[in-house]
C-alpha cells in the first residue's frame, strides 16, 4: 500500500484567505459597539441632562484633536509588517516593530503632557461657554486623554496583530473593551455621584485592561516578532514617522473638519446644540465604522500583494472592494435618509429628531463613505503622501469658503451639516478616487460603471419600497409600512446574492445550507 505524502498547505501571507472571516468577526464586534453607542447617550441624557451630554461630546472632540499628537503611528505600520512577512524579511520586520514601539513610548508621553496642559488651560478659554460645568469638563478630558495615551502605547500591538491579518482578535478585544466600559459607565451613572466624570474613569479602566491584553496576543501569535528595543534605529524610525504622518494626513482631515464644526457649535450656540448635532452624526458614523472594518483590512493586504509582486491584482481589488462598499452603504444610508428622524426620535426622543440634518448627512456622505477603499489601497501601496496633503488643504479650503458665506454667529444645525458633507464629497468622494485610478492606471469611467453604477441600479427596488413604506408610515398605516420595509430588505438581499456576491462566497453559502439540511435530516 503506497502512501502519498501531502505537503502542508502554505499560509496565505497576503491575508486574502482570512478576509471573509475577519470581516464577519469585525462586523459582529461592531454590533456590540453600536449597542453601546445607542445606550449610553440616551442614559446620559435621561440621567444628567442635555448639557452634560454635550460636555461628554466636547471631551471626545478634544480627544479627536489629540490623536494628531500620534503622528499617524501605531496600527498603520501593519502595511510594513505584512509586506516584510510576505517577503520573509524577518529582521526587517523586527526592526520596524521595535522602532515603532520606541516612537510610541515617546508619543504616549506627549499625549499625557498635552492632556495635562489642556486640563489647566481649559478654564481660560471655555469657562464662558461651559459655565458651572468647567471643572467637570476638565476631569472628563483628563481621563479620556490618559486613555488615549494608553491606546497610543499599545498601537504597536495593534499594528502587529493586524499585520499578521488577525483582525478577528483585534476587533474582539475592541468589542470587549466596549462592553466593560459600558458596564462601568452605567455603574458610575446609577450607583455613584460621579456622573460623566465616573464614565471617563470607567473608560480609562476598560482601556487599560484590554490594551494590555493585546501584548499577550502578540506574544502568542506573532512568532517571528522579537521584542528588543536595541533593534530600533534612527533611519527606520524616520521611515515609519514619514509613513505615519502620511497616513495621519489621509485619516485626520475629516476629524479636524468635524471637530472644528463641533467647537464652533459649542461656542456659537452651546453644548446642548452639539448634543443634538452629534446624534445624527453618530448614526452615520456607525455605518462608516462598518465600512472601515472592511476597508482597513485592505492596507496590509495591498502591502502584502505589492511585496509579493502581485500588483496586477490591485485593480481588481480596488473595483471589487469599492463595489462591495457601495453595496452596503447605499441601502444603509438610504434607510437613514428615509427613516432617520424616526430612529432619532425612538432613540433619544423628539428633541433630537432633526429630519433635515439627518437627510443632509445621510445623502451627502454616500460618495465619500462608499469609496473609503481608495485611500486604504493607496496606503498599502505607500502612494498616499502627496494626495493626503492635497486632500487636507482642499478640505479646509472648501470649508472656509463655505463658512465665509454662512457666518459663525448662531450657526444652524443644517448649515453645519452642509459644511461637513460638501467638502467630504468633493475631496473624498471625487478627488481621491480619481487619483487612485491614475495610480492604478485604471479608467475612471470604467471604475465608476463597475463599482458605483451597478450597486445603484440594484438598489432601486429598495428605495422604491422604502419610500412607499415611509408614505404608509406617515398615513399611520404602520403594519403596512413595516411589511413594505421588510420586503425592501428581503428583495435587496436576494438581488445582491444573485448579482453581486462573489462566486466563492455563493458556493460557501450553498454548502452551509446543504450541511444544515443534512444535519436536520440526521436529527429527524
Amino acid at each position: 500500500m503506497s502512501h502519498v505524502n501531502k505537503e502542508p498547505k502554505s499560509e496565505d501571507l497576503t491575508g486574502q484567505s482570512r478576509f471573509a472571516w475577519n470581516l464577519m468577526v469585525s462586523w459582529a464586534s461592531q454590533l456590540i459597539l453600536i449597542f453601546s453607542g445607542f445606550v449610553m447617550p440616551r442614559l446620559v441624557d435621561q440621567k444628567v441632562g442635555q448639557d452634560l451630554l454635550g460636555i461628554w461630546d466636547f471631551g471626545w472632540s478634544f480627544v479627536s484633536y489629540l490623536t494628531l499628537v500620534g503622528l499617524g503611528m501605531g496600527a498603520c505600520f501593519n502595511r510594513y509588517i505584512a509586506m516584510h512577512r510576505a517577503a520573509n524579511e524577518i529582521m526587517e520586520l523586527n526592526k520596524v516593530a521595535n522602532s515603532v514601539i520606541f516612537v510610541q513610548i515617546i508619543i504616549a508621553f506627549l499625549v499625557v503632557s498635552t492632556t495635562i496642559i489642556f486640563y489647566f488651560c481649559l478654564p481660560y478659554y471655555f469657562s464662558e461657554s461651559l459655565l458651572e460645568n468647567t471643572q467637570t469638563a476638565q476631569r472628563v478630558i483628563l481621563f479620556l486623554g490618559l486613555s488615549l495615551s494608553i491606546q497610543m502605547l499599545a498601537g504597536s500591538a495593534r499594528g502587529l496583530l493586524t499585520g499578521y491579518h488577525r483582525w478577528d482578535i483585534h476587533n474582539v478585544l475592541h468589542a470587549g473593551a466596549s462592553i466593560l466600559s459600558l458596564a462601568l459607565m452605567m455603574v458610575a451613572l446609577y450607583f455613584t455621584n460621579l456622573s460623566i466624570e465616573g464614565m471617563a474613569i470607567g473608560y480609562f479602566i476598560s482601556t487599560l485592561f484590554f490594551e494590555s491584553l493585546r501584548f499577550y496576543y502578540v506574544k502568542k501569535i506573532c512568532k517571528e516578532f522579537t521584542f528588543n528595543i536595541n533593534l530600533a534605529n534612527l533611519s527606520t524610525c524616520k521611515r515609519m514617522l514619514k509613513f505615519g504622518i502620511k497616513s495621519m494626513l489621509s485619516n485626520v482631515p475629516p476629524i479636524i473638519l468635524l471637530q472644528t464644526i463641533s467647537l464652533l457649535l459649542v461656542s456659537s450656540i452651546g453644548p446642548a446644540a452639539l448634543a443634538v448635532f452629534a446624534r445624527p452624526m453618530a448614526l452615520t458614523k456607525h455605518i462608516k465604522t462598518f465600512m472601515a472594518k472592511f476597508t482597513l483590512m485592505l492596507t496590509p493586504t495591498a502591502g502584502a500583494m505589492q511585496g509579493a509582486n502581485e500588483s496586477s491584482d490591485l485593480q481588481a481589488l480596488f473595483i471589487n472592494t469599492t463595489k462591495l462598499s457601495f453595496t452596503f452603504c447605499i441601502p444603509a444610508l438610504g434607510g437613514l435618509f428615509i427613516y432617520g428622524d424616526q430612529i432619532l426620535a425612538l432613540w433619544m426622543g423628539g428633541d433630537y429628531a432633526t429630519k433635515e440634518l439627518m437627510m443632509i448627512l445621510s445623502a451627502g456622505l454616500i460618495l465619500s463613505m462608499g469609496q473609503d477603499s481608495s485611500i486604504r489601497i493607496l496606503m498599502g501601496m505607500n502612494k498616499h503622501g502627496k494626495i493626503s496633503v492635497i486632500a487636507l488643504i482642499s478640505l479646509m479650503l472648501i470649508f472656509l469658503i463655505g463658512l465665509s458665506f454662512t457666518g459663525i454667529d448662531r450657526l444652524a444645525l443644517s448649515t453645519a451639516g452642509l459644511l461637513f458633507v460638501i467638502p467630504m464629497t468633493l475631496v473624498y468622494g471625487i478627488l481621491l478616487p480619481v487619483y487612485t485610478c491614475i495610480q492604478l492606471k485604471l479608467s475612471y469611467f470604467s471604475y465608476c460603471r463597475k463599482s458605483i453604477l451597478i450597486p445603484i441600479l440594484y438598489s432601486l427596488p429598495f428605495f422604491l419600497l422604502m419610500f412607499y413604506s415611509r408614505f404608509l408610515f406617515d398615513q399611520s398605516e404602520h403594519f403596512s409600512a413595516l411589511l413594505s420595509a421588510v420586503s425592501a430588505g428581503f428583495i435587496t438581499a436576494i438581488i445582491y446574492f444573485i448579482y453581486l456576491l462573489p462566486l466563492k462566497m455563493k458556493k460557501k453559502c450553498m454548502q452551509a445550507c446543504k450541511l444544515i439540511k443534512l444535519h436536520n435530516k440526521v436529527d429527524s
Side-chain angles (χ1 to χ4, degrees), residues 235-266:
S235 62
T236 305
C237 288
K238 287 181 178 179
R239 184 157 56 97
M240 292 301 102
L241 276 171
K242 183 179 179 181
F243 182 81
I245 291 171
K246 290 193 295 183
S247 301
M248 180 189 71
L249 289 174
S250 64
N251 292 320
V252 157
I255 297 174
I256 295 177
L257 178 62
L258 178 58
Q259 303 315 322
T260 301
I261 293 171
S262 298
L263 292 178
L264 287 175
L265 284 171
V266 170

Side-chain angles (χ1 to χ4, degrees), residues 28-41:
S29 65
Q30 182 58 27
L31 292 175
I32 297 173
L33 302 180
I34 289 175
F35 174 76
S36 174
F38 267 94
V39 169
M40 284 314 302

